[in-house]
Amino acid sequence: MLSKKIRTILVFGCIAAIFAAVGYWNISPERFLDQPAAKVEENIDWYATNTHTLQYLPDGKLQYEMTSDKVDHVKASDITLVTKPDLNMFRGTEFPWHVQSERAEVNPGGTEVELIDSVRIARTDEKNRTTIITSSRMTVFPQREYAQTEQPVRIDGAGGVSTGVGMKAYLKESRIHLLSKVRGQYEAR
C-alpha cells in the first residue's frame, strides 16, 4: 500500500496535470456550448418597392415585362434579391411565358435568375393550349430562353400531367425534357 503522503502527492499531481492540459489546449466550458452561426453581413445598397420593368429587343419588340413587390441589391455580392417576381417573357411574340415565384436571386449580369419557392411557369399558345410547369426551385437564363432544375417538376398540359425529377426547358422552342423518374397520365380522346 501506498503511504498517505504519496497518495496526496499523486492526487495533487493529477489535478495539476489536468490544469496544465486545460491551459495548454485552452479548453473552456464555453467551447462546448452551441455557438450561434456566423452572421453574414448583407449590406443593401439600394432597394425598390412595387417595381415594373420593361426590356425591349433590338428590333423594338417587347422581350419581357416584370413586376415585383420588392427588389434589394446586395452591395458585397452584386446580387439582386427579388420578392414575388412576376415575369412575362414575350421573346418578341404575342404568346409569353409567364414566370412566377415567391423569391428570386439575380446574378450580377442578369444572365441567371434563381427562382425560389412556389415556382410556376405557364404559357398559352396560339391554339389556346395551356402548359403549366411547377417546381420548388428553378434556374432561368432569360437571354438563352432556357430554364432548368434538379428538383421534382410537374407539367400540366396537352391533355395530361407529367411528373419527374430534374428538367431542361427550351422556352423558345417550347421543348421540355424531364430528366429522371418520369411519370405521365393522359386523357384518351
Side-chain angles (χ1 to χ4, degrees):
M1 287 279 206
L2 297 173
S3 71
K4 186 175 183 178
K5 186 175 183 181
I6 294 175
R7 277 188 272 160
T8 305
I9 291 173
L10 284 175
V11 169
F12 282 118
C14 289
I15 291 173
I18 290 172
F19 279 123
V22 168
Y24 180 76
W25 284 300
N26 194 18
I27 298 173
S28 63
E30 291 82 25
R31 289 185 67 183
F32 298 106
L33 298 175
D34 289 334
Q35 297 292 325
K39 186 177 179 181
V40 177
E41 192 171 318
E42 291 187 1
N43 290 329
I44 306 295
D45 60 343
W46 60 262
Y47 74 93
T49 57
N50 299 319
T51 64
H52 183 228
T53 306
L54 297 170
Q55 174 73 35
Y56 292 93
L57 294 167
D59 65 1
K61 292 181 181 176
L62 186 60
Q63 181 177 11
Y64 71 81
E65 175 182 23
M66 186 181 88
T67 60
S68 68
D69 288 353
K70 186 175 181 183
V71 176
D72 293 316
H73 184 262
V74 181
K75 184 177 183 179
S77 62
D78 199 21
I79 290 176
T80 305
L81 307 172
V82 184
T83 305
K84 296 265 190 203
D86 191 328
L87 171 73
N88 283 307
M89 290 177 50
F90 286 92
R91 312 164 343 269
T93 69
E94 57 185 271
F95 302 103
W97 283 95
H98 187 198
V99 180
Q100 299 170 298
S101 70
E102 292 297 314
R103 301 180 296 123
E105 294 179 2
V106 183
N107 75 342
T111 58
E112 186 175 322
V113 179
E114 185 72 22
L115 301 170
I116 305 166
D117 297 330
S118 303
V119 178
R120 182 180 191 272
I121 299 178
R123 179 174 184 248
T124 302
D125 66 10
E126 60 276 353
K127 295 180 182 176
N128 208 24
R129 297 176 297 193
T130 301
T131 302
I132 301 171
I133 306 167
T134 55
S135 185
S136 62
R137 192 173 188 109
M138 193 174 302
T139 306
V140 176
F141 300 87
Q143 276 69 30
R144 292 175 31 204
E145 298 178 29
Y146 172 77
Q148 69 182 25
T149 185
E150 294 178 6
Q151 303 300 315
V153 176
R154 176 184 171 105
I155 302 172
D156 292 289
V161 176
S162 298
T163 59
V165 176
M167 176 200 73
K168 292 182 178 183
Y170 302 89
L171 303 175
K172 188 173 187 175
E173 298 92 22
S174 296
R175 250 182 340 140
I176 302 168
H177 297 277
L178 294 173
L179 303 178
S180 67
K181 298 183 182 177
V182 178
R183 295 190 180 267
Q185 180 178 349
Y186 297 93
E187 293 179 17
R189 292 184 185 204

